[in-house]
């Protein structure tokens, strides 16, 4: 995901699930088979070196777990300040937990 409009729509219209290190926003896109993911790592997480390390870890987690995300889903991952000290394993666990919760809520919303 690259356009700010896509980020904004996913955050505003999607469902949200938060954990200690990150927040996952999820929006189901009808008629699409794509899985799109955007990352938000703000300055509150740390300096540029820390933000880039967090971004690389989150990107690796997403690539590792891409098959779990249903087709036609847009996700925005927003890193929280505790992510700066989080290990890869903790980030992965928080992502899997938050993502599954957000996807479940988004799927229930589209069916209703």
């Amino acid at each position: 995901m690259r356009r700010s409009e896509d980020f904004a729509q996913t955050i505003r219209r999607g469902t949200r699930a938060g954990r200690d290190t990150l927040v996952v926003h999820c929006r189901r896109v009808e008629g699409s088979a794509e899985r799109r993911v955007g990352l938000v790592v703000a300055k509150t997480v740390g300096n540029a070196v820390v933000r880039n390390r967090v971004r690389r870890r989150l990107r690796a987690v997403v690539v590792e777990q891409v098959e779990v995300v249903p087709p036609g889903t847009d996700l925005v991952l927003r890193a929280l300040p505790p992510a700066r000290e989080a290990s890869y394993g903790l980030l992965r666990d928080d992502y899997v937990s938050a993502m599954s919760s957000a996807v479940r809520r988004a799927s229930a919303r589209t069916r209703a």
Side-chain angles (χ1 to χ4, degrees):
M1 191 178 313
R2 297 186 190 272
R3 296 177 356 166
S4 62
E5 298 86 30
D6 296 334
F7 278 82
Q9 283 186 356
T10 301
I11 290 170
R12 287 187 191 125
R13 296 184 181 156
T15 59
R16 180 182 71 208
R19 298 298 179 264
D20 291 339
T21 59
L22 55 87
V23 176
V24 175
H25 298 270
C26 176
R27 180 173 67 106
R28 298 289 302 192
V29 180
E30 294 300 321
S32 174
E34 285 186 307
R35 298 173 179 105
R36 300 188 310 172
V37 179
L39 301 176
V40 177
V41 184
K43 286 185 177 181
T44 57
V45 173
N47 63 25
V49 173
V50 172
R51 290 193 313 270
N52 285 329
R53 182 177 60 232
V54 170
R55 191 175 295 116
R56 282 192 308 270
R57 286 180 179 173
L58 287 175
R59 193 176 300 129
V61 166
V62 169
V63 168
E64 179 183 296
Q65 301 289 327
V66 72
E67 293 302 320
V68 179
V69 179
T73 303
D74 285 353
L75 294 176
V76 172
L77 279 63
R78 185 168 43 93
L80 299 175
R84 82 181 113 220
E85 281 109 23
S87 67
Y88 177 82
L90 179 59
L91 286 174
R92 183 187 59 231
D93 293 345
D94 281 356
Y95 167 74
V96 169
S97 174
M99 184 271 305
S100 61
S101 178
V103 166
R104 191 174 337 105
R105 290 178 190 162
S107 295
R109 182 184 280 187
T110 56
R111 278 184 284 207

